[in-house]
């Protein structure tokens, strides 16, 4: 089983021409600006077309925000996450009353093969599930203080970032950092999923969603720092938990392209980010990146830097977390 690293150690890589970290930035890494090939033409359609993007330099957290860090925020601010509050019925026309209770989305492993076309075979909206109770009201955070915090919708992510004096990365900033300078590589560590037979990320081994062989040592989330860092010194930029970005979701094919690279792109428009499959419920969506412990070769090969999915801002899940940045 992989072992967590000492989170008090410093792997900060500083540009010699850039200021040294300020207090509160000890576990952050300086990412120099540059131009890279964003997206992919080889995998899922929402990743295409690959296109050149330029970003400026920024600081980014080495690790995703942990339960312990989020607990300190909650204790200091008395913040109550959306999963701990009943939804506003006006936002969900036609919703059943039993669904308008504090709850969050939890993965539940079925006992046998199921139809992969229906995600309701493994996703369940569980009352009482929230960041304190990741699998439901009977579960706790005991022994999971240094695991990524999950079940935090976008509102809570922004509140935490504001409290610590940081921001959320754009999709382009996140992908640039995740690639670690390996422009065009399939994974954040290179082009081979398990080099030398070594698992480089917390993903799903076996047949999703019913058979988890745990060859990487974990079935659910892993402590941050459990797997090797990328070339920039960032941990778990693939697998473990998906990560929120600040960009409104749009297809890469909708981006205006020119002969030159896009400079510091900020994503799509809020009102165009709605899910066209639910026209009656217009909840805007952000881009999430990185894949999670539920990504498997037979279902979701999204443990890659180019991978991206749309996430409604009101929805929290057991496999979605975040990390923050500070722009120079």
């Amino acid at each position: 089983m992989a072992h967590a690293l000492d989170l008090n150690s410093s792997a900060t890589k500083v540009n010699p021409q850039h200021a040294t970290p300020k207090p509160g930035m000890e576990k952050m890494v300086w990412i120099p600006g540059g131009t890279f090939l964003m997206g992919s033409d080889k995998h899922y359609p929402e990743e295409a077309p690959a296109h050149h993007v330029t970003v400026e330099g920024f600081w980014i957290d080495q690790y995703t925000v942990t339960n312990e860090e989020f607990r300190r925020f909650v204790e200091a601010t008395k913040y109550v996450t959306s999963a701990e509050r009943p939804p506003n019925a006006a936002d969900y026309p036609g919703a059943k009353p039993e669904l308008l209770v504090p709850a969050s989305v939890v993965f539940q492993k079925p006992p046998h093969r199921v139809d992969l076309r229906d995600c309701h075979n493994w996703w369940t909206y569980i009352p009482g599930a929230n960041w304190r109770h990741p699998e439901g009201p009977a579960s706790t955070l005991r022994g999971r203080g240094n695991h990524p915090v999950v079940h935090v919708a976008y509102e809570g992510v922004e509140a935490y970032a504001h409290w610590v004096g940081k921001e959320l990365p754009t999709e382009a900033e996140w992908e640039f950092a995740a690639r670690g300078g390996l422009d065009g590589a399939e994974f954040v560590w290179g082009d081979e999923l398990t080099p030398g037979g070594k698992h480089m990320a917390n993903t799903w081994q076996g047949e999703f969603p019913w058979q988890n062989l745990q060859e990487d040592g974990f079935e659910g989330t892993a402590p941050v720092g459990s797997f090797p860092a990328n070339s920039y010194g960032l941990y778990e930029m693939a697998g473990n938990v998906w990560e929120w970005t600040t960009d409104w979701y749009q297809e890469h094919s909708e981006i205006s392209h020119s002969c030159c690279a896009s400079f510091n792109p900020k994503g799509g428009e809020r009102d165009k980010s709605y899910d066209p499959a639910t026209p009656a419920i217009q909840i805007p969506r952000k881009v999430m990146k990185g894949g999670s412990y539920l990504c498997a070769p037979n279902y979701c090969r999204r443990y890659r830097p180019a991978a991206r999915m749309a996430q409604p801002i009101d929805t929290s899940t057991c496999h979605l977390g975040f990390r923050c940045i500070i722009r120079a």
Side-chain angles (χ1 to χ4, degrees):
M1 179 180 290
H3 296 285
L5 300 178
D6 179 3
L7 301 189
N8 293 317
S9 66
S10 176
T12 303
K13 296 185 177 182
V14 182
N15 184 323
Q17 297 179 343
H18 196 273
T20 56
K22 299 176 183 178
M25 295 173 64
E26 295 83 2
K27 296 175 185 176
M28 300 189 79
V29 172
W30 169 248
I31 306 298
T35 300
F36 74 108
L37 189 64
M38 183 175 178
S40 172
D41 296 323
K42 302 176 183 177
H43 297 282
Y44 296 103
E46 68 272 10
E47 301 170 20
H51 54 290
H52 284 95
V53 166
T54 298
V55 296
E56 294 181 291
F58 57 94
W59 294 90
I60 187 169
D61 292 341
Q62 283 185 282
Y63 313 95
T64 52
V65 175
T66 66
N67 287 313
E68 178 59 26
E69 290 168 329
F70 198 76
R71 180 190 64 78
R72 291 197 291 268
F73 156 67
V74 169
E75 289 182 351
T77 64
K78 310 305 179 186
Y79 184 80
V80 179
T81 64
S82 61
E84 299 170 282
R85 308 190 304 259
N88 183 353
D91 294 333
Y92 306 94
K96 297 178 180 179
E98 60 267 27
L99 296 178
L100 297 175
V101 297
S104 193
V105 179
V106 177
F107 171 80
Q108 292 190 317
K109 185 170 67 175
H112 48 69
R113 288 187 177 92
V114 296
D115 185 349
L116 294 179
R117 294 171 296 182
D118 185 0
C119 66
H120 296 96
N121 284 322
W122 56 87
W123 285 120
T124 306
Y125 191 62
I126 295 186
N130 54 55
W131 74 274
R132 304 174 194 270
H133 307 286
E135 289 79 50
S139 62
T140 72
L141 294 180
R142 186 174 296 113
R144 290 192 273 190
N146 63 340
H147 285 233
V149 66
V150 292
H151 294 299
V152 184
Y154 193 76
E155 172 197 281
V157 169
E158 280 197 313
Y160 176 90
H162 179 76
W163 182 70
V164 295
K166 301 179 183 181
E167 299 177 80
L168 275 294
T170 65
E171 180 183 4
E173 289 168 333
W174 191 99
E175 187 169 330
F176 184 76
R179 289 185 177 277
L182 299 179
D183 199 19
E186 182 140 343
F187 305 106
V188 304
W189 52 84
D191 289 316
E192 187 178 350
L193 178 59
T194 52
K198 181 179 181 180
H199 288 284
M200 303 294 288
N202 181 15
T203 61
W204 185 288
Q205 299 86 51
E207 186 178 337
F208 182 86
W210 69 279
Q211 178 194 53
N212 191 337
L213 302 178
Q214 301 181 52
E215 293 172 352
D216 59 12
F218 301 97
E219 182 165 18
T221 59
V224 300
S226 290
F227 292 86
N230 73 358
S231 296
Y232 284 156
L234 304 176
Y235 293 85
E236 284 84 49
M237 296 299 283
N240 215 24
V241 292
W242 285 92
E243 299 183 26
W244 287 103
T245 73
T246 192
D247 282 11
W248 296 114
Y249 184 82
Q250 70 174 353
E251 299 292 342
H252 278 342
S253 59
E254 297 174 0
I255 299 171
S256 297
H257 296 284
S258 67
C259 61
C260 306
S262 299
F263 184 74
N264 285 341
K266 305 298 184 183
E269 299 176 28
R270 184 185 191 277
D271 291 345
K272 294 182 179 180
S273 69
Y274 303 134
D275 186 351
T278 58
I281 303 177
Q282 295 193 340
I283 304 298
R285 300 178 297 169
K286 295 284 187 176
V287 177
M288 63 178 188
K289 298 284 284 184
S292 79
Y293 64 90
L294 296 176
C295 286
N298 74 302
Y299 180 69
C300 177
R301 296 187 72 257
R302 289 187 169 90
Y303 32 71
R304 297 171 293 100
R308 60 200 301 266
M309 292 190 74
Q311 180 69 9
I313 61 171
D314 66 329
T315 303
S316 58
T317 74
C318 65
H319 73 330
L320 172 58
F322 67 100
R323 76 181 72 211
C324 301
I325 71 168
I326 294 177
R327 294 187 176 91

